[in-house]
Amino acid sequence: GTRIICDRKFLLECKNSPAARTPPCCPPQTPGVTSLAQSSLVKLEELKERNESQEAVPDQDQFEMDI
């Protein structure tokens, strides 16, 4: 096989190139990697509903203190 060998200086210079600073125009959509999986979206909605219902309950002290 063919090996591509790059020195450290070249790689560090590539970090500052304009192409490295812009996101790709059309990344592939991979559920669970680049976008949330459908099951994850359902779980997120359920968690939001739970949090909203818990916020409706007034806050209570975790421990009661006798003074």
Side-chain angles (χ1 to χ4, degrees):
T2 305
R3 285 189 175 187
I4 298 173
I5 301 173
C6 301
D7 62 346
R8 184 176 187 273
K9 181 182 174 188
F10 173 74
L11 293 175
L12 288 172
E13 289 173 2
C14 289
K15 176 178 74 169
N16 297 325
S17 72
R21 294 178 182 261
T22 58
C25 64
C26 304
Q29 298 298 318
T30 307
V33 179
T34 58
S35 63
L36 293 174
Q38 291 298 329
S39 61
S40 296
L41 291 173
V42 172
K43 289 179 184 178
L44 282 174
E45 290 176 8
E46 290 176 1
L47 287 174
K48 286 180 183 178
E49 291 174 2
R50 284 186 199 166
N51 287 339
E52 290 172 357
S53 64
Q54 288 176 354
E55 289 175 1
V57 176
D59 291 333
Q60 297 177 354
D61 292 338
Q62 186 174 3
F63 302 101
E64 292 182 14
M65 294 181 64
D66 293 331
I67 300 178

